Amino acid sequence: MEKKELTDKINKLKKEKNAIVLAHTYQNIEIDEVADFSGDSLYLSRQAAKTDADIIVFAGVYFMAETAKILSPNKTVLLPNIKAGCDMADKINLKQMREFKAKYPDIPVVCYVNSTAEVKSESDICCTSANAVNVVKSLNTKEVLFVPDQNLGSYVESQLEGVKVITYPGYCPIHHRITTQDIEKQKALHPNAKIMVHPECKKQVTQLADFVGSTTAIIKFVKESKDKEFIIVTEQGVVQRLERDCPDKKFILINEKAVCDSMKLLHLEDIYNSLKNNEFEINVDETIAKKARTSIDRMIKVNA
Ligand code: 13P
Ligand code: SF4
């Protein structure tokens, strides 16, 4: 099918079925053409919580669709490719979570939204990369446990005085493998470029940044900046969107491996098939969903 025909059919199905498409910033950029909302994890969970659509098609990865289902239990939530997982979320399961908590009793647990519903259900509050610092601050405590991302946890600690963040040793392979040498190499090639870093990168890398933020925060910063050249230290989808939206600026992806294969599984065809066949429906056990919802709701109430 031609792209135009496919887009038209998707839009028609969306109307007929009262469906919306939510797309994460790392998706193949063609998906934005049929997306009702595109953005970072925090923005998309807020949209999932307030939509009155009957069907939410989540163009993202499994934990995002699961989060949408937890927030909208009476809606149908579809993930167009059931294999779209997140390596970071898979780094901690319920048993490991309970063992980690048992090692540090009576300390509040913050869980990054990139985690399973079960892990969320065992946490006090959720966070995304956009609001992690404010979420931890809102707890008003001297110590917190942070799962599963050690890098985001240590970034949060660096931003708050007098708070010890005890991290679980999880990470996102795409961000974790970016090194200071990668930055130095690109900086030598592009000395005037500003360095934009996602907080899932290692501490040594975020320390070299001109700006650290979520995918949406990076895009916003670049759009408002007077600078013309940027080294983008996160997934390639951010570069694609910046090139589309800011044709007068130049963007350098930190290295060619900064691509999340899971996020790139979806194409327009998959969105069409998902809507047409109601595939693949995501469900969450009710008891787990109820507990997980408390921690997501708490997060949504904290300002980014
Ligand atoms: P954002 O919260 O910035 O959207 O990032 C989500 C993610 O999966 C980053 O790897
Ligand atoms: Fe998960 Fe990393 Fe992919 Fe984000 S980029 S979805 S954290 S594997």
Side-chain angles (χ1 to χ4, degrees):
M1 236 187 284
E2 287 282 307
K3 193 168 162 194
K4 165 91 174 68
E5 192 187 348
L6 209 45
T7 311
D8 289 348
K9 286 197 165 176
I10 293 171
N11 288 333
K12 191 163 168 262
L13 274 174
K14 281 199 321 193
K15 257 199 201 129
E16 277 167 22
K17 297 194 163 191
N18 188 25
I20 57 163
V21 175
L22 302 182
H24 189 263
T25 329
Y26 294 163
Q27 288 291 295
N28 286 314
I29 199 156
E30 64 192 86
I31 307 287
D32 277 6
E33 290 178 36
V34 294
D36 297 274
F37 302 98
S38 316
D40 67 6
S41 306
L42 180 61
Y43 175 70
L44 296 178
S45 21
R46 288 204 162 118
Q47 297 308 324
K50 66 182 186 204
T51 180
D52 53 15
D54 294 319
I55 298 177
I56 298 170
V57 179
F58 217 117
V61 290
Y62 196 92
F63 77 79
M64 296 179 175
E66 219 176 32
T67 304
K69 182 67 188 178
I70 293 166
L71 289 167
S72 299
N74 301 322
K75 300 186 194 312
T76 302
V77 176
L78 304 174
L79 181 66
N81 187 324
I82 203 67
K83 292 199 186 108
C86 166
D87 279 349
M88 167 159 5
D90 293 342
K91 293 229 178 315
I92 182 167
N93 59 30
L94 186 59
K95 185 169 169 278
Q96 291 163 321
M97 174 73 168
R98 285 185 175 153
E99 284 166 3
F100 184 59
K101 281 171 65 175
K103 242 169 101 181
Y104 304 97
D106 302 324
I107 301 181
V109 189
V110 179
C111 98
Y112 190 24
V113 74
N114 297 33
S115 54
T116 64
E118 282 179 332
V119 166
K120 288 185 179 77
S121 76
E122 289 274 323
S123 306
D124 295 291
I125 188 164
C126 228
C127 74
T128 74
S129 60
N131 63 10
V133 173
N134 283 347
V135 162
V136 173
K137 213 198 259 172
S138 76
L139 296 175
N140 211 1
T141 169
K142 288 204 159 47
E143 278 184 320
V144 289
L145 301 185
F146 196 97
V147 299
D149 189 7
Q150 55 181 294
N151 295 324
L152 182 60
S154 93
Y155 174 70
V156 169
E157 187 175 75
S158 76
Q159 299 302 298
L160 294 171
E161 239 171 72
V163 182
K164 188 169 172 213
V165 180
I166 304 165
T167 56
Y168 187 82
Y171 56 88
C172 160
I174 290 103
H175 290 85
H176 196 69
R177 67 182 166 222
I178 297 169
T179 61
T180 51
Q181 287 92 320
D182 288 327
I183 308 256
E184 281 151 14
K185 187 178 148 201
Q186 294 296 0
K187 192 70 188 165
L189 292 169
H190 310 277
N192 297 323
K194 294 281 176 241
I195 305 168
M196 306 285 112
V197 179
H198 195 281
E200 283 178 19
C201 293
K202 286 181 186 154
K203 193 178 192 168
Q204 307 89 285
V205 172
T206 52
Q207 278 170 344
L208 296 178
D210 291 301
F211 178 77
V212 181
S214 74
T215 54
T216 298
I218 290 177
I219 291 173
K220 184 170 179 282
F221 183 95
V222 168
K223 284 185 178 170
E224 289 170 0
S225 169
K226 286 194 177 72
D227 288 295
K228 292 283 175 208
E229 229 182 319
F230 301 87
I231 297 164
I232 305 297
V233 192
T234 184
E235 211 267 353
Q236 178 220 32
V238 173
V239 170
Q240 291 183 331
R241 280 154 182 84
L242 284 170
E243 283 174 344
R244 176 195 63 195
D245 297 346
C246 311
D248 60 322
K249 294 180 178 172
K250 186 175 169 189
F251 304 103
I252 302 106
L253 181 63
I254 185 63
N255 65 41
E256 75 287 352
K257 285 199 211 129
V259 178
C260 175
D261 291 339
S262 220
M263 282 282 186
K264 301 298 193 229
L265 285 172
L266 299 185
H267 296 276
L268 284 175
E269 213 111 28
D270 302 287
I271 307 292
Y272 173 64
N273 289 331
S274 174
L275 271 166
K276 190 168 74 146
N277 307 320
N278 281 353
E279 283 172 349
F280 293 88
E281 191 170 345
I282 302 302
N283 282 304
V284 183
D285 172 89
E286 253 176 59
T287 320
I288 290 169
K290 212 172 151 214
K291 283 165 75 187
R293 184 173 178 138
T294 311
S295 83
I296 302 168
D297 278 344
R298 277 193 195 133
M299 164 186 91
I300 288 180
K301 286 195 190 108
V302 175
N303 288 327

